[in-house]
Amino acid sequence: MAEYSAFSLLKNALTGNKDWKPAWRKPDPKASYDVIIIGGGGHGLSTAYYLAKEHGITNVAVLEKGWLGSGNVGRNTTAVRSNYLLPANTRFYEHSMKLWENLSHDLNYNVMFSQRGCLNLAHTPAQLDDFARRGNAMRHLGVDAELMTTAEIARLVPALDVSATARFPIVGGLMQRRAGTARHDAVAWGYARGADRRGVDIIENCEVTGFLRDGDRITGVTTSRGEVRARKVAVAVAGSTGQVVRLAGIDTMPIESHVLQAFVTESLKPFINTVLTFGMGHFYMSQSDKGGLVYGGDLDGYNSYAQRGSLPVVDEVMSEMLALFPGLARVRMLRNWGGVCDMSMDGSPIIATGPLPGMYLNCGWCYGGFKATPASGWCFAWTIAKDEPHDINAPFTLDRFHRGLVIDDKGQGATPRLH
C-alpha cells in the first residue's frame, strides 16, 4: 500500500503522479472471519484499525452497504472538542482528544486536525456562571478550559456583534483552546488505509440483510453478496441502528433517528479562526480551509432516515447566524445536506456487548459522533477483543437506562431530540 512522505510526494510529482497505489484493497468477502463490523463509517473503520493495531485481531471484515464514508462521517460539521460537564463524558472525549492530537502521525495520513479552539458564547450572567461550573469540572479532570470576557472575544472574532444593542448581548464565553476541526473524509480514508494495511478486509457495496443465528447467539450475517460467518458481529451504523438490529429480532432500542442538517457558504477570506457556538439557540460555525463557513443548528423535530431536512430549520439556522454576524446577510449558501443521528435517551453513547450473545453495539452518538471517532473505535475494539468494556466506556452500557444510571450531560431528560 502507498506510503506517504515528503520523498514520495516529490517522487510522484516528478513522474506525473502516475505511480500512486490504491489506499486500500477491494476484496471479495470470505466465508468467515473472527470479527464482522457492520458499518464502514468513522466508528466502524476506527474499530477495525484498533482491533488490528492494539489487539492483533486482523481477520476482520468491515461491511459497508454503500461506498466507504457515505454516511455521517462525511456529513458532519467537523468539530472536535472535549468540553463536557459529567465525568464519564469528559474522560471519554478527552481520551478521544488525545488520540486526535497524534492521529495524523499514527495513521501516516494527514487528517488536517486544526486545534483552533472552541468558544461557547454566554448571553446572560446565569449562563456564564453555568459555563464557569462546566469549565471548573473540566479542569478538575485535567482538561483545558478558560473563561473569556466580552473584550477578549471581540479581539478573537472581530466580525461578531458584541455591542450592547445586539439582539442577544454577549457577556463572556467558555473557551477550550485544544478543540478544533478535522477533515472528515480524510479521517475515514486514513482509518480505512490503516486498517487495510494491517490485513482488514473493507468490503463496500455489501448490505447486511439479516443475521445468522445458533439459538440466541449471532454467528454471522446474510448480505447482498452472500452469507458471511463470524464469531463476533459488531454493529456501528449510527442512525440506521434501529433498522439493522431489527433484522436480529430486536424491536426496541433506547434511541431515535433524527435528521441533522449542515450548511456551507461560498468561500470567503479568513473570517473566523475558531469553532463558535451560540448560547441563546442551537448554532455552531467554523471556517474550512477552502474558505467556506461550515455551520449547523438544531435537529429536524421528527423521526426520519432521510439524508435531507426541512426548510423551517434552514430559516432558523440562518436567523441565528445573522443574530451573531449581521454582516453575513448577503453571503450565499452553496449547499446543505443532512445526516441521520442516533439520538439516545440521555444524550450519551452506548458502547457495549449485547444485546444478544455474539453481538456488540456502538450507537447513540447524538451530535457527538465525529469528535468521538478515535475513542469510539479504541474502546469498541477493546470491548470486542476482551468481551468486557474498558474503564473509559464502562459507564456507557445498554442497561443503564433500566438501572437508572443515565449520563445526561445536558439535563434534558428522556427526550432524545432535545439532546
Side-chain angles (χ1 to χ4, degrees), residues 124-391:
T124 66
Q127 190 172 42
L128 190 60
D129 285 347
D130 186 61
F131 284 177
R133 176 193 177 212
R134 184 176 3 145
N136 284 325
M138 292 165 59
R139 290 165 70 99
H140 275 302
L141 292 173
V143 182
D144 65 302
E146 62 182 270
L147 285 180
M148 296 185 69
T149 66
T150 305
E152 290 172 329
I153 292 170
R155 287 194 293 272
L156 178 67
V157 190
L160 187 64
D161 184 1
V162 298
S163 68
T165 58
R167 184 181 180 189
F168 300 101
I170 295 167
V171 300
L174 179 65
M175 167 64 83
Q176 184 185 20
R177 298 280 181 186
R178 290 168 53 243
T181 62
R183 177 70 182 269
H184 44 29
D185 46 11
V187 174
W189 300 335
Y191 272 122
R193 174 179 173 274
D196 180 271
R197 292 176 73 229
R198 288 167 172 80
V200 172
D201 284 354
I202 298 170
I203 304 167
E204 300 173 78
N205 301 306
C206 185
E207 182 176 4
V208 170
T209 57
F211 287 85
L212 303 175
R213 301 174 69 152
D214 182 4
D216 286 338
R217 175 168 287 276
I218 299 297
T219 59
V221 294
T222 59
T223 78
S224 56
R225 297 176 64 174
E227 291 186 354
V228 187
R229 297 189 175 273
R231 294 190 301 110
K232 300 180 178 184
V233 177
V235 179
V237 293
S240 298
T241 300
Q243 292 177 307
V244 171
V245 299
R246 194 173 293 119
L247 299 174
I250 302 164
D251 295 325
T252 304
M253 288 287 293
I255 59 172
E256 294 181 357
S257 294
H258 288 265
V259 177
L260 177 62
Q261 296 190 62
F263 311 85
V264 66
T265 70
E266 60 185 323
S267 294
L268 305 176
K269 291 182 178 180
F271 180 83
I272 180 171
N273 191 34
T274 189
V275 180
L276 182 137
T277 74
F278 181 39
M280 292 302 287
H282 204 156
F283 174 82
Y284 40 90
M285 184 174 78
S286 62
Q287 188 168 18
S288 75
D289 294 329
K290 293 181 179 179
L293 300 177
V294 181
Y295 55 100
D298 214 342
L299 298 166
D300 285 74
Y302 52 86
N303 302 126
S304 175
Y305 291 107
Q307 291 179 318
R308 61 188 184 276
S310 64
L311 286 175
V313 171
V314 177
D315 180 71
E316 177 186 336
V317 171
M318 303 307 162
S319 298
E320 293 177 346
M321 179 171 71
L322 294 183
L324 295 173
F325 300 100
L328 294 177
R330 295 184 180 275
V331 171
R332 290 175 293 182
M333 184 181 77
L334 284 188
R335 60 187 180 276
N336 77 309
W337 60 92
V340 184
C341 291
D342 40 334
M343 307 296 293
S344 69
M345 300 300 287
D346 61 358
S348 295
I350 299 163
I351 312 173
T353 59
L356 295 173
M359 178 183 279
Y360 302 79
L361 197 60
N362 181 316
C363 64
W365 289 102
C366 301
Y367 284 83
F370 180 69
K371 61 180 169 285
T373 299
S376 169
W378 193 93
C379 290
F380 200 31
W382 178 290
T383 303
I384 294 167
K386 299 183 180 295
D387 279 311
E388 63 180 14
H390 190 274
D391 288 345

Side-chain angles (χ1 to χ4, degrees), residues 37-42 44-45 62-65 67-70 73 188 236-237:
I37 299 170
I38 305 172
L45 293 168
V62 178
L63 308 183
E64 168 54 46
K65 71 176 181 179
W67 68 90
L68 188 149
S70 57
V73 71
V237 293

Side-chain angles (χ1 to χ4, degrees), residues 103-143:
L103 191 59
S104 292
H105 178 76
D106 187 32
L107 297 177
N108 184 225
Y109 200 99
N110 185 10
V111 301
M112 301 171 73
F113 180 45
S114 170
Q115 290 181 288
R116 60 186 69 182
C118 178
L119 173 61
N120 304 126
L121 296 177
H123 301 272
T124 66
Q127 190 172 42
L128 190 60
D129 285 347
D130 186 61
F131 284 177
R133 176 193 177 212
R134 184 176 3 145
N136 284 325
M138 292 165 59
R139 290 165 70 99
H140 275 302
L141 292 173
V143 182

